[in-house]
Every structure is written in C-alpha cells, then in structure tokens.
Amino acid sequence: MDKLTKFTGGNWVACMNDQSCWVDNGDNGLIADLEMTDIECPDELYANVSLISAAPEMYEEIQIEIEELQEFISTLNHMSGDWLYYSSRLDRKEALLAKARGDL
C-alpha cells in the first residue's frame, strides 16, 4: 500500500451470538463490538458487522484499482482526452481511501 494504514490488518471475521455481534481478527483480537441493544433489528446489526468485517478487503481492492487507473491514465494521456474522465474516477477512489485511513 502506498499510504500508511492506521487500521488493523489481516482477515476480519463477522461473528454473532444471542447478545452481540463483533468483528474479530484471529491474530489481533477484537476489532469492533456491537451489542444487541445498539440496534433493535438483529439482521441490521449483523449486516453492519459484515460490512465492517469486509473493510480491509474492500480497501485492498480499491487500492489495486487505483494503481491500475494510474497506469491506464498515464497511457491515455498520450493518446486522447479521455484521461480526464478516468482521472475523476481516480480522484474519487483516492478520496475514499483517504477517508478510510482517517486522513480527511
């Protein structure tokens, strides 16, 4: 990764029991913990925990796409004006990862 990430790396796993949902990383322990009292609907609670647990993988996929877009834009820059469209896509993805890192 080109920027320093401030979050715990590794594979995050969504877990659930009768009282709570949590995100766990086998090596580093608890990442996030949500009690059933936080949200009345267990399905919504589990969906939130599932989304949180997917964050590292989503971050990595976006980072890969940024690198591919950078290379593609560099090639397009010499061939056509279409690079502006892809440049705005790149800017949005870079801003999203900056937000995920807590840079914004």
Side-chain angles (χ1 to χ4, degrees):
M1 288 180 212
D2 63 328
K3 302 276 186 170
L4 177 65
T5 56
K6 299 171 189 165
F7 56 82
T8 305
N11 294 321
W12 295 4
V13 179
C15 306
M16 184 175 187
N17 65 23
D18 292 340
Q19 290 85 31
S20 66
C21 286
W22 66 96
V23 176
D24 187 74
N25 175 317
D27 295 330
N28 298 306
L30 186 66
I31 302 296
D33 188 13
L34 297 165
E35 295 184 17
M36 290 295 190
T37 56
D38 294 338
I39 298 174
E40 303 231 351
C41 175
D43 291 338
E44 182 181 351
L45 183 66
Y46 190 70
N48 290 343
V49 172
S50 296
L51 179 61
I52 293 167
S53 70
E57 291 173 79
M58 290 189 295
Y59 187 98
E60 188 65 32
E61 281 299 314
I62 293 169
Q63 183 61 47
I64 290 168
E65 187 164 348
I66 284 173
E67 292 167 7
E68 290 171 354
L69 275 170
Q70 287 170 335
E71 186 176 324
F72 184 64
I73 289 168
S74 175
T75 303
L76 267 183
N77 195 16
H78 303 292
M79 300 165 76
S80 76
D82 289 343
W83 68 273
L84 288 171
Y85 167 75
Y86 292 100
S87 183
S88 68
R89 285 182 54 195
L90 176 62
D91 292 344
R92 290 192 310 271
K93 287 173 181 30
E94 287 176 333
L96 181 60
L97 291 193
K99 184 177 180 180
R101 287 190 302 271
D103 293 348
L104 298 178

XYZ file of all heavy atoms in Angstrom:
824
model
N 0.836 -1.180 0.000
C 0.000 0.000 0.000
C 0.878 1.239 0.000
O 1.896 1.277 0.663
C -0.903 0.010 1.224
C -2.020 -1.009 1.156
S -3.051 -0.947 2.606
C -3.499 -2.648 2.687
N 0.445 2.242 -0.725
C 1.273 3.427 -0.855
C 1.143 4.386 0.325
O 2.005 5.196 0.558
C 0.940 4.158 -2.166
C -0.481 4.659 -2.202
O -1.367 4.036 -1.625
O -0.703 5.700 -2.822
N 0.074 4.313 1.058
C -0.141 5.177 2.217
C -0.130 4.318 3.473
O -0.517 3.158 3.455
C -1.491 5.896 2.126
C -1.659 6.749 0.895
C -1.048 8.088 1.099
C -1.365 8.960 -0.115
N -1.023 10.306 0.059
N 0.283 4.896 4.580
C 0.300 4.186 5.846
C -1.128 3.976 6.333
O -1.872 4.930 6.504
C 1.092 4.983 6.887
C 1.133 4.402 8.291
C 1.874 3.072 8.278
C 1.797 5.359 9.244
N -1.508 2.738 6.511
C -2.833 2.457 7.048
C -2.757 2.450 8.565
O -1.781 1.991 9.143
C -3.377 1.105 6.550
O -2.447 0.093 6.889
C -3.597 1.118 5.053
N -3.806 2.969 9.173
C -3.839 3.068 10.624
C -4.721 1.990 11.239
O -4.872 1.933 12.435
C -4.359 4.450 11.026
C -3.478 5.575 10.523
C -4.126 6.916 10.757
C -3.324 7.990 10.051
N -4.044 9.230 9.927
N -5.322 1.159 10.393
C -6.212 0.127 10.917
C -5.488 -1.206 11.015
O -4.448 -1.412 10.415
C -7.485 0.006 10.073
C -7.241 -0.254 8.604
C -6.987 -1.522 8.141
C -7.284 0.789 7.698
C -6.771 -1.760 6.794
C -7.075 0.565 6.350
C -6.811 -0.713 5.902
N -6.076 -2.100 11.796
C -5.528 -3.435 11.986
C -5.653 -4.228 10.698
O -6.739 -4.313 10.135
C -6.291 -4.169 13.116
O -6.242 -3.365 14.292
C -5.693 -5.530 13.386
N -4.564 -4.784 10.246
C -4.585 -5.568 9.024
C -5.115 -6.973 9.265
O -5.532 -7.314 10.360
N -5.096 -7.745 8.224
C -5.493 -9.135 8.347
C -6.905 -9.393 7.887
O -7.589 -8.502 7.402
N -7.324 -10.623 8.050
C -8.684 -11.015 7.685
C -9.613 -10.783 8.862
O -9.420 -11.344 9.931
C -8.719 -12.492 7.282
C -7.934 -12.742 6.017
O -7.968 -11.939 5.100
N -7.217 -13.845 5.974
N -10.614 -9.956 8.656
C -11.591 -9.681 9.701
C -12.784 -10.609 9.489
O -13.214 -10.857 8.368
C -12.042 -8.237 9.652
C -10.971 -7.230 9.964
C -9.650 -7.472 10.202
C -11.132 -5.824 10.060
N -8.978 -6.304 10.431
C -9.881 -5.259 10.353
C -12.216 -4.966 9.918
C -9.681 -3.897 10.514
C -12.022 -3.604 10.073
C -10.763 -3.083 10.386
N -13.351 -11.103 10.574
C -14.459 -12.050 10.514
C -15.631 -11.508 11.315
O -15.461 -11.073 12.455
C -14.024 -13.423 11.085
C -15.169 -14.411 11.060
C -12.826 -13.964 10.326
N -16.833 -11.541 10.715
C -18.057 -11.151 11.413
C -18.517 -12.328 12.267
O -18.591 -13.457 11.805
C -19.131 -10.764 10.408
N -18.834 -12.053 13.539
C -19.288 -13.087 14.464
C -20.580 -12.617 15.143
O -20.788 -11.414 15.316
C -18.240 -13.350 15.536
S -16.601 -13.749 14.892
N -21.412 -13.566 15.566
C -22.673 -13.195 16.199
C -23.090 -14.268 17.193
O -22.907 -15.459 16.957
C -23.754 -13.026 15.137
C -25.083 -12.553 15.643
S -26.211 -12.270 14.243
C -27.580 -11.544 15.090
N -23.636 -13.826 18.342
C -24.290 -14.744 19.278
C -25.604 -14.103 19.717
O -26.040 -13.123 19.107
C -23.372 -15.113 20.452
C -23.026 -13.937 21.342
O -23.742 -12.935 21.398
N -21.922 -14.052 22.055
N -26.234 -14.606 20.764
C -27.541 -14.091 21.184
C -27.484 -12.670 21.736
O -28.490 -11.964 21.726
C -28.164 -15.006 22.238
C -28.556 -16.352 21.662
O -28.710 -16.443 20.418
O -28.705 -17.303 22.451
N -26.342 -12.219 22.225
C -26.246 -10.907 22.858
C -25.570 -9.836 21.999
O -25.814 -8.657 22.184
C -25.480 -10.987 24.194
C -26.227 -11.703 25.288
C -26.026 -13.209 25.218
O -24.977 -13.681 24.790
N -27.041 -13.961 25.613
N -24.700 -10.236 21.114
C -23.938 -9.219 20.392
C -23.399 -9.728 19.062
O -23.437 -10.913 18.767
C -22.777 -8.720 21.258
O -21.835 -9.747 21.478
N -22.899 -8.795 18.293
C -22.152 -9.068 17.067
C -20.792 -8.427 17.239
O -20.661 -7.385 17.872
C -22.836 -8.440 15.856
S -24.314 -9.285 15.322
N -19.785 -9.011 16.672
C -18.467 -8.418 16.748
C -17.653 -8.787 15.520
O -17.986 -9.685 14.782
C -17.749 -8.831 18.031
C -17.413 -10.286 18.133
C -16.230 -10.876 17.823
C -18.289 -11.339 18.586
N -16.298 -12.230 18.035
C -17.545 -12.541 18.515
C -19.600 -11.382 19.039
C -18.088 -13.754 18.882
C -20.134 -12.605 19.399
C -19.378 -13.773 19.318
N -16.602 -8.029 15.318
C -15.644 -8.298 14.248
C -14.353 -8.690 14.929
O -13.885 -8.000 15.839
C -15.435 -7.059 13.347
C -14.371 -7.336 12.297
C -16.750 -6.654 12.701
N -13.803 -9.800 14.491
C -12.621 -10.353 15.133
C -11.524 -10.591 14.103
O -11.794 -10.901 12.943
C -12.995 -11.688 15.793
C -11.865 -12.247 16.624
O -11.628 -11.709 17.715
O -11.209 -13.213 16.174
N -10.304 -10.380 14.541
C -9.140 -10.727 13.753
C -8.395 -11.752 14.586
O -7.944 -11.447 15.669
C -8.280 -9.487 13.499
C -6.993 -9.807 12.793
O -6.324 -10.783 13.105
N -6.623 -8.983 11.860
N -8.282 -12.966 14.098
C -7.681 -14.045 14.866
C -6.357 -13.702 15.512
O -6.078 -14.123 16.619
N -5.534 -12.905 14.846
C -4.213 -12.579 15.375
C -4.252 -11.439 16.385
O -3.491 -11.430 17.338
C -3.272 -12.176 14.236
C -3.012 -13.332 13.297
O -3.036 -14.489 13.747
O -2.797 -13.070 12.101
N -5.132 -10.476 16.149
C -5.105 -9.263 16.968
C -6.340 -9.080 17.835
O -6.486 -8.082 18.508
C -4.950 -8.038 16.059
C -3.653 -8.102 15.294
O -2.600 -8.255 15.882
N -3.730 -8.028 13.975
N -7.241 -10.035 17.828
C -8.392 -9.990 18.706
C -9.536 -9.147 18.192
O -9.761 -9.021 16.992
N -10.250 -8.556 19.110
C -11.469 -7.810 18.833
C -11.187 -6.541 18.038
O -10.339 -5.743 18.394
C -12.153 -7.450 20.153
C -13.505 -6.791 20.051
C -14.525 -7.755 19.469
C -13.941 -6.311 21.429
N -11.947 -6.349 16.943
C -11.852 -5.137 16.125
C -13.009 -4.203 16.450
O -12.827 -3.010 16.631
C -11.881 -5.496 14.612
C -10.757 -6.448 14.240
C -11.877 -4.244 13.757
C -9.368 -5.905 14.403
N -14.230 -4.747 16.514
C -15.425 -3.958 16.816
C -16.424 -4.843 17.543
O -16.492 -6.042 17.305
C -16.048 -3.413 15.534
N -17.213 -4.229 18.434
C -18.203 -4.972 19.202
C -19.496 -4.178 19.223
O -19.495 -2.997 19.573
C -17.692 -5.196 20.625
C -18.570 -6.115 21.436
O -19.441 -6.783 20.850
O -18.375 -6.176 22.656
N -20.594 -4.799 18.804
C -21.905 -4.159 18.820
C -22.851 -5.023 19.634
O -23.002 -6.210 19.370
C -22.450 -4.009 17.395
C -21.631 -3.120 16.467
C -22.052 -3.358 15.032
C -21.820 -1.668 16.839
N -23.496 -4.418 20.623
C -24.463 -5.157 21.427
C -25.826 -5.117 20.773
O -26.146 -4.187 20.033
C -24.540 -4.557 22.825
C -23.252 -4.709 23.619
C -23.379 -4.187 25.033
O -24.514 -4.016 25.506
O -22.348 -3.946 25.646
N -26.635 -6.101 21.068
C -27.981 -6.149 20.513
C -28.794 -4.916 20.889
O -29.689 -4.521 20.174
C -28.720 -7.403 20.973
C -28.187 -8.658 20.360
S -28.443 -8.671 18.579
C -28.021 -10.332 18.203
N -28.479 -4.277 21.993
C -29.227 -3.086 22.407
C -28.903 -1.872 21.550
O -29.647 -0.905 21.541
C -28.946 -2.749 23.880
O -27.541 -2.587 24.058
C -29.465 -3.843 24.794
N -27.779 -1.903 20.811
C -27.398 -0.777 19.950
C -28.381 -0.606 18.803
O -28.695 0.500 18.398
C -25.986 -0.960 19.383
C -24.916 -0.921 20.461
O -25.187 -0.363 21.547
O -23.830 -1.457 20.224
N -28.862 -1.693 18.263
C -29.794 -1.702 17.138
C -30.835 -2.772 17.431
O -30.496 -3.887 17.824
C -29.060 -2.018 15.815
C -28.025 -0.939 15.518
C -30.035 -2.160 14.666
C -27.164 -1.230 14.319
N -32.083 -2.442 17.247
C -33.157 -3.375 17.597
C -33.270 -4.562 16.636
O -33.733 -5.615 17.012
C -34.482 -2.620 17.670
C -34.406 -1.477 18.651
C -35.530 -1.484 19.649
O -36.455 -2.277 19.486
O -35.453 -0.690 20.583
N -32.864 -4.393 15.403
C -33.031 -5.448 14.403
C -31.737 -6.264 14.279
O -30.715 -5.743 13.839
C -33.393 -4.823 13.050
S -33.486 -6.020 11.726
N -31.759 -7.534 14.662
C -30.547 -8.368 14.555
C -30.011 -8.469 13.125
O -28.802 -8.537 12.930
C -30.998 -9.735 15.064
C -32.205 -9.466 15.882
C -32.857 -8.256 15.281
N -30.903 -8.467 12.130
C -30.438 -8.543 10.742
C -29.619 -7.312 10.374
O -28.590 -7.411 9.700
C -31.619 -8.687 9.782
C -32.312 -10.036 9.901
O -31.678 -10.995 10.394
O -33.488 -10.125 9.507
N -30.076 -6.135 10.813
C -29.337 -4.896 10.535
C -28.000 -4.893 11.266
O -26.979 -4.503 10.714
C -30.169 -3.689 10.952
C -29.503 -2.357 10.646
C -30.336 -1.165 11.080
O -31.503 -1.332 11.472
O -29.793 -0.051 11.032
N -28.017 -5.358 12.491
C -26.788 -5.419 13.281
C -25.764 -6.330 12.607
O -24.601 -5.962 12.446
C -27.108 -5.931 14.689
C -25.960 -5.991 15.678
C -25.461 -4.585 15.985
C -26.402 -6.671 16.958
N -26.207 -7.517 12.180
C -25.285 -8.442 11.527
C -24.812 -7.892 10.190
O -23.653 -8.060 9.824
C -25.917 -9.819 11.347
C -24.899 -10.832 10.910
C -23.905 -11.265 11.780
C -24.894 -11.330 9.622
C -22.942 -12.173 11.387
C -23.937 -12.243 9.214
C -22.965 -12.657 10.092
O -22.005 -13.545 9.700
N -25.693 -7.190 9.467
C -25.286 -6.570 8.197
C -24.205 -5.518 8.442
O -23.240 -5.416 7.673
C -26.494 -5.953 7.500
N -24.344 -4.738 9.509
C -23.329 -3.730 9.839
C -21.989 -4.383 10.167
O -20.935 -3.940 9.698
C -23.788 -2.868 11.011
C -24.931 -1.949 10.659
O -25.216 -1.703 9.490
N -25.612 -1.446 11.673
N -22.043 -5.436 10.955
C -20.807 -6.140 11.319
C -20.187 -6.799 10.094
O -18.965 -6.811 9.931
C -21.080 -7.156 12.451
C -19.879 -8.032 12.710
C -21.451 -6.423 13.725
N -21.016 -7.325 9.210
C -20.494 -7.930 7.979
C -19.802 -6.888 7.110
O -18.738 -7.148 6.530
C -21.635 -8.583 7.195
O -22.179 -9.647 7.929
N -20.400 -5.703 7.011
C -19.786 -4.613 6.240
C -18.448 -4.203 6.848
O -17.450 -4.059 6.145
C -20.730 -3.411 6.173
C -20.217 -2.185 5.425
C -19.931 -2.515 3.968
C -21.238 -1.056 5.527
N -18.415 -4.059 8.163
C -17.157 -3.698 8.842
C -16.095 -4.766 8.588
O -14.939 -4.456 8.295
C -17.387 -3.512 10.356
C -18.269 -2.285 10.621
C -16.056 -3.387 11.101
C -18.807 -2.202 12.040
N -16.494 -6.032 8.665
C -15.505 -7.107 8.501
C -14.938 -7.163 7.083
O -13.832 -7.661 6.874
C -16.115 -8.465 8.885
O -17.074 -8.880 7.949
N -15.677 -6.643 6.112
C -15.195 -6.645 4.722
C -14.289 -5.456 4.412
O -13.683 -5.407 3.333
C -16.388 -6.640 3.769
N -14.177 -4.515 5.319
C -13.430 -3.278 5.067
C -11.996 -3.490 4.575
O -11.586 -2.855 3.593
C -13.453 -2.384 6.304
N -11.179 -4.337 5.204
C -9.807 -4.498 4.707
C -9.738 -5.011 3.267
O -8.914 -4.551 2.479
C -9.178 -5.507 5.673
C -9.974 -5.389 6.915
C -11.373 -5.088 6.460
N -10.625 -5.945 2.918
C -10.637 -6.473 1.549
C -11.087 -5.412 0.556
O -10.525 -5.294 -0.543
C -11.569 -7.679 1.457
C -11.055 -8.896 2.193
C -12.090 -9.990 2.215
O -12.225 -10.675 1.180
O -12.756 -10.152 3.254
N -12.102 -4.634 0.935
C -12.572 -3.561 0.049
C -11.479 -2.518 -0.136
O -11.244 -2.036 -1.249
C -13.848 -2.923 0.608
C -15.043 -3.849 0.531
S -16.627 -3.073 0.947
C -16.405 -2.657 2.664
N -10.787 -2.179 0.939
C -9.688 -1.215 0.869
C -8.634 -1.687 -0.120
O -8.184 -0.937 -0.983
C -9.081 -1.016 2.261
C -8.045 0.077 2.310
C -8.386 1.349 2.745
C -6.735 -0.160 1.918
C -7.435 2.362 2.797
C -5.793 0.839 1.961
C -6.143 2.104 2.399
O -5.204 3.096 2.428
N -8.249 -2.940 0.009
C -7.203 -3.504 -0.854
C -7.639 -3.510 -2.326
O -6.849 -3.185 -3.213
C -6.853 -4.927 -0.398
C -5.666 -5.510 -1.112
C -4.361 -4.781 -0.832
O -4.171 -4.256 0.271
O -3.519 -4.726 -1.760
N -8.898 -3.877 -2.590
C -9.403 -3.885 -3.968
C -9.404 -2.478 -4.565
O -9.060 -2.295 -5.736
C -10.813 -4.477 -4.023
C -10.841 -5.976 -3.963
C -10.105 -6.642 -5.111
O -10.279 -6.241 -6.281
O -9.333 -7.578 -4.843
N -9.799 -1.501 -3.775
C -9.794 -0.118 -4.264
C -8.363 0.338 -4.525
O -8.081 1.009 -5.518
C -10.520 0.819 -3.276
C -12.007 0.473 -3.234
C -10.325 2.285 -3.680
C -12.763 1.146 -2.096
N -7.428 -0.045 -3.662
C -6.023 0.318 -3.855
C -5.484 -0.289 -5.149
O -4.786 0.380 -5.909
C -5.174 -0.146 -2.667
C -3.724 0.261 -2.762
C -3.541 1.758 -2.802
O -4.127 2.487 -2.017
N -2.727 2.236 -3.718
N -5.840 -1.518 -5.434
C -5.414 -2.165 -6.684
C -5.987 -1.414 -7.881
O -5.291 -1.160 -8.870
C -5.835 -3.654 -6.702
C -4.999 -4.441 -5.696
C -5.714 -4.246 -8.098
C -5.522 -5.840 -5.415
N -7.272 -1.047 -7.810
C -7.884 -0.316 -8.921
C -7.240 1.053 -9.108
O -7.055 1.513 -10.238
C -9.391 -0.156 -8.728
C -10.022 0.454 -9.958
C -11.534 0.303 -10.006
O -12.109 -0.449 -9.221
O -12.115 0.964 -10.877
N -6.857 1.708 -8.029
C -6.166 2.995 -8.127
C -4.866 2.828 -8.901
O -4.555 3.613 -9.796
C -5.907 3.594 -6.729
C -7.204 4.168 -6.165
C -4.812 4.663 -6.774
C -7.092 4.638 -4.729
N -4.104 1.804 -8.560
C -2.839 1.570 -9.251
C -3.057 1.291 -10.733
O -2.318 1.794 -11.584
C -2.087 0.432 -8.568
C -1.604 0.805 -7.177
C -1.149 -0.390 -6.362
O -1.076 -1.517 -6.893
O -0.885 -0.187 -5.159
N -4.090 0.498 -11.047
C -4.397 0.205 -12.448
C -4.860 1.455 -13.186
O -4.474 1.688 -14.335
C -5.460 -0.892 -12.531
C -4.950 -2.246 -12.102
C -6.047 -3.299 -11.977
O -7.246 -2.962 -12.117
O -5.693 -4.478 -11.737
N -5.686 2.278 -12.531
C -6.144 3.523 -13.155
C -4.988 4.481 -13.406
O -4.933 5.149 -14.438
C -7.202 4.204 -12.282
C -8.633 3.735 -12.453
C -9.522 4.323 -11.364
C -9.171 4.098 -13.829
N -4.063 4.557 -12.462
C -2.906 5.433 -12.645
C -2.108 5.040 -13.882
O -1.706 5.887 -14.672
C -2.010 5.403 -11.395
C -2.613 6.133 -10.225
C -1.845 5.894 -8.936
O -1.164 4.882 -8.755
N -1.971 6.836 -8.017
N -1.902 3.751 -14.043
C -1.163 3.265 -15.214
C -1.955 3.524 -16.499
O -1.404 3.962 -17.508
C -0.885 1.767 -15.060
C -0.009 1.205 -16.150
C 0.318 -0.258 -15.900
O 0.497 -0.652 -14.740
O 0.394 -0.992 -16.898
N -3.258 3.260 -16.471
C -4.120 3.463 -17.631
C -4.174 4.940 -18.025
O -4.069 5.281 -19.204
C -5.517 2.930 -17.312
C -6.479 3.003 -18.457
C -6.270 2.270 -19.614
C -7.615 3.794 -18.370
C -7.165 2.323 -20.668
C -8.511 3.856 -19.412
C -8.292 3.126 -20.571
N -4.303 5.823 -17.043
C -4.358 7.266 -17.311
C -3.051 7.737 -17.933
O -3.041 8.554 -18.850
C -4.687 8.047 -16.024
C -6.149 7.812 -15.635
C -4.423 9.539 -16.199
C -6.508 8.285 -14.240
N -1.967 7.216 -17.434
C -0.661 7.580 -17.991
C -0.579 7.221 -19.467
O -0.066 7.989 -20.283
C 0.441 6.864 -17.208
O 1.688 7.102 -17.787
N -1.112 6.058 -19.833
C -1.128 5.623 -21.231
C -2.076 6.478 -22.057
O -1.744 6.935 -23.145
C -1.558 4.144 -21.324
O -0.665 3.366 -20.541
C -1.541 3.661 -22.754
N -3.280 6.733 -21.524
C -4.287 7.515 -22.248
C -3.864 8.964 -22.457
O -4.223 9.581 -23.450
C -5.609 7.522 -21.474
C -6.637 6.487 -21.796
C -7.887 6.729 -20.977
C -6.988 6.434 -23.255
N -3.153 9.489 -21.522
C -2.731 10.888 -21.572
C -2.017 11.207 -22.881
O -2.110 12.304 -23.404
C -1.840 11.198 -20.378
C -1.663 12.679 -20.147
O -2.405 13.504 -20.665
N -0.679 13.016 -19.356
N -1.324 10.240 -23.433
C -0.584 10.428 -24.676
C -1.440 10.195 -25.913
O -1.055 10.553 -27.010
C 0.620 9.482 -24.723
C 1.535 9.657 -23.570
N 2.290 10.778 -23.375
C 1.797 8.850 -22.520
C 2.987 10.655 -22.266
N 2.708 9.489 -21.725
N -2.638 9.580 -25.734
C -3.420 9.157 -26.881
C -4.723 9.941 -27.088
O -5.168 10.089 -28.213
C -3.755 7.665 -26.744
C -2.502 6.805 -26.666
S -2.849 5.151 -26.079
C -3.584 4.434 -27.515
N -5.364 10.404 -26.008
C -6.656 11.073 -26.174
C -6.983 11.920 -24.953
O -6.272 11.914 -23.962
C -7.768 10.041 -26.388
O -8.094 9.416 -25.166
N -8.100 12.626 -25.038
C -8.570 13.444 -23.932
C -9.410 12.659 -22.936
O -9.886 13.229 -21.956
N -9.610 11.367 -23.168
C -10.429 10.554 -22.270
C -9.816 10.401 -20.882
O -10.501 10.000 -19.945
C -10.655 9.157 -22.853
C -11.586 9.174 -24.052
O -12.294 10.180 -24.232
O -11.590 8.177 -24.787
N -8.572 10.725 -20.742
C -7.918 10.567 -19.446
C -8.588 11.415 -18.372
O -8.554 11.072 -17.187
C -6.428 10.891 -19.543
C -6.137 12.330 -19.803
C -6.066 12.945 -21.016
C -5.914 13.335 -18.837
N -5.801 14.274 -20.858
C -5.700 14.550 -19.524
C -5.858 13.346 -17.444
C -5.447 15.750 -18.877
C -5.609 14.532 -16.798
C -5.404 15.722 -17.509
N -9.266 12.513 -18.745
C -9.941 13.361 -17.759
C -11.054 12.594 -17.041
O -11.225 12.730 -15.828
C -10.514 14.617 -18.420
C -9.481 15.651 -18.840
C -10.142 16.742 -19.675
C -8.806 16.244 -17.613
N -11.829 11.811 -17.779
C -12.891 11.004 -17.180
C -12.305 10.031 -16.157
O -12.790 9.917 -15.030
C -13.665 10.242 -18.264
C -14.557 9.165 -17.703
C -15.751 9.493 -17.072
C -14.190 7.824 -17.796
C -16.568 8.505 -16.541
C -15.004 6.832 -17.274
C -16.184 7.168 -16.641
O -16.977 6.192 -16.126
N -11.277 9.325 -16.549
C -10.678 8.340 -15.659
C -9.953 9.010 -14.494
O -9.883 8.465 -13.403
C -9.747 7.406 -16.442
C -10.517 6.535 -17.388
C -10.602 6.844 -18.746
C -11.211 5.428 -16.927
C -11.343 6.053 -19.608
C -11.955 4.633 -17.782
C -12.019 4.957 -19.123
O -12.749 4.172 -19.963
N -9.454 10.193 -14.720
C -8.792 10.933 -13.649
C -9.780 11.283 -12.539
O -9.452 11.207 -11.355
C -8.154 12.198 -14.222
O -7.466 12.887 -13.222
N -11.018 11.639 -12.904
C -12.017 11.944 -11.876
C -12.403 10.672 -11.108
O -12.647 10.727 -9.902
C -13.246 12.619 -12.481
O -13.960 11.719 -13.291
N -12.451 9.532 -11.787
C -12.698 8.255 -11.097
C -11.577 7.960 -10.112
O -11.811 7.521 -8.989
C -12.804 7.106 -12.103
C -14.108 7.079 -12.873
C -14.206 5.905 -13.812
N -13.981 4.623 -13.129
C -13.734 3.496 -13.776
N -13.669 3.475 -15.091
N -13.551 2.374 -13.111
N -10.362 8.215 -10.548
C -9.208 8.004 -9.688
C -9.280 8.911 -8.462
O -9.056 8.462 -7.336
C -7.922 8.273 -10.479
C -6.611 8.191 -9.717
C -6.383 6.796 -9.171
C -5.470 8.609 -10.620
N -9.622 10.179 -8.663
C -9.727 11.131 -7.547
C -10.750 10.651 -6.514
O -10.511 10.740 -5.307
C -10.107 12.521 -8.043
C -9.001 13.182 -8.856
O -7.840 12.724 -8.788
O -9.320 14.157 -9.570
N -11.892 10.148 -6.978
C -12.928 9.672 -6.057
C -12.439 8.474 -5.247
O -12.679 8.384 -4.042
C -14.202 9.306 -6.814
C -14.954 10.494 -7.384
C -16.351 10.135 -7.879
N -16.423 8.987 -8.759
C -16.299 9.044 -10.091
N -16.082 10.203 -10.693
N -16.396 7.950 -10.828
N -11.746 7.574 -5.888
C -11.243 6.394 -5.187
C -10.143 6.765 -4.188
O -10.091 6.247 -3.077
C -10.747 5.353 -6.183
C -11.902 4.664 -6.898
C -11.423 3.756 -7.985
C -12.520 3.059 -8.738
N -13.780 3.717 -8.871
N -9.274 7.679 -4.579
C -8.227 8.122 -3.658
C -8.832 8.833 -2.450
O -8.370 8.652 -1.322
C -7.231 9.020 -4.388
C -6.339 8.237 -5.337
C -5.400 9.111 -6.152
O -5.732 10.288 -6.406
O -4.335 8.597 -6.537
N -9.877 9.626 -2.663
C -10.548 10.315 -1.560
C -11.220 9.309 -0.623
O -11.204 9.478 0.602
C -11.571 11.317 -2.098
N -11.791 8.260 -1.188
C -12.437 7.229 -0.382
C -11.430 6.522 0.519
O -11.674 6.307 1.709
C -13.137 6.221 -1.293
C -13.879 5.081 -0.618
C -14.991 5.606 0.287
C -14.453 4.147 -1.663
N -10.285 6.185 -0.024
C -9.265 5.527 0.797
C -8.682 6.477 1.816
O -8.369 6.073 2.936
C -8.160 4.926 -0.082
C -8.569 3.723 -0.931
C -7.325 3.039 -1.491
C -9.402 2.736 -0.147
N -8.559 7.753 1.484
C -8.088 8.744 2.460
C -9.074 8.816 3.631
O -8.668 8.888 4.804
C -7.920 10.098 1.799
N -10.358 8.800 3.322
C -11.380 8.803 4.367
C -11.273 7.550 5.226
O -11.357 7.617 6.453
C -12.757 8.896 3.709
C -13.891 9.004 4.699
C -15.214 9.166 3.954
C -16.380 9.274 4.899
N -17.658 9.420 4.179
N -11.052 6.397 4.603
C -10.913 5.140 5.349
C -9.693 5.156 6.259
O -9.714 4.576 7.338
C -10.827 3.968 4.380
N -8.631 5.834 5.837
C -7.419 5.945 6.653
C -7.555 6.983 7.754
O -6.712 7.082 8.630
C -6.226 6.308 5.783
C -5.707 5.216 4.892
C -4.392 5.602 4.249
N -4.483 6.804 3.472
C -4.813 6.863 2.170
N -5.057 5.753 1.503
N -4.874 8.015 1.534
N -8.608 7.819 7.671
C -8.764 8.894 8.654
C -7.978 10.133 8.274
O -7.724 10.990 9.116
N -7.599 10.258 7.004
C -6.813 11.403 6.544
C -7.660 12.642 6.300
O -7.123 13.735 6.157
C -6.058 11.070 5.251
C -4.985 10.019 5.464
O -4.662 9.720 6.641
O -4.480 9.480 4.476
N -8.989 12.500 6.154
C -9.848 13.650 5.866
C -10.514 14.156 7.108
O -10.762 13.515 8.030
C -10.917 13.279 4.827
C -10.374 12.872 3.471
C -11.531 12.490 2.538
C -9.596 14.000 2.825
